[in-house]
Amino acid sequence: VQLQASGGGLVQPGGSLRLSCSASGTIFTANYMGWYRQAPGKQRDMVATVTSDGITTYADSLKGRFTISRDNARNTVYLQMNSLKPEDTAVYYCKLARWESYSSRYRDFWGQGTLVTVSS
């Protein structure tokens, strides 16, 4: 599985960005996709995830500003980020977690990361 993320960049506080991540390869139906972020000197944290059935989860602190969605036909996940703040500055990574029945566990695949900088 390969993941290609795009959409990062420099945005002013209060602005918006939309990230995209397309997956290719052997994906399987049972999976979830998500966005994680890592600020300098900090651990990587979950931003939002969405299952193939469309069930979403969000980091509590980001509810209402960020929206995750996916297009199953295109194996693509999106992250709409609104009302951006300087503290949202981070490298954003997409992940696909593929359920593997032979091991009864998810196997994670990561994209390369895209930098989001929120600054005036």
Side-chain angles (χ1 to χ4, degrees), residues 5-74:
S6 62
L10 173 64
V11 63
Q12 292 186 342
S16 298
L17 276 178
R18 188 191 194 210
L19 306 182
S20 301
C21 178
S22 296
S24 61
T26 306
I27 295 170
F28 299 154
T29 302
N31 65 75
Y32 68 88
M33 299 182 75
W35 289 96
Y36 297 72
R37 69 184 185 183
Q38 187 167 20
K42 295 188 177 181
Q43 67 180 20
R44 188 176 299 185
D45 293 324
M46 188 272 285
V47 173
T49 64
V50 58
T51 69
S52 53
D53 295 331
I55 299 170
T56 58
T57 58
Y58 292 91
D60 287 341
S61 62
L62 300 177
K63 289 180 181 178
R65 293 196 299 123
F66 289 15
T67 303
I68 191 170
S69 60
R70 67 184 284 172
D71 182 337
N72 287 334
R74 292 182 170 82

Side-chain angles (χ1 to χ4, degrees), residues 82-102:
N82 298 328
S83 302
L84 283 163
K85 305 175 182 180
E87 52 263 43
D88 295 318
T89 296
V91 178
Y92 285 70
Y93 296 91
C94 64
K95 183 181 89 170
L96 183 144
R98 186 180 72 187
W99 178 254
E100 300 191 330
S101 56
Y102 70 90

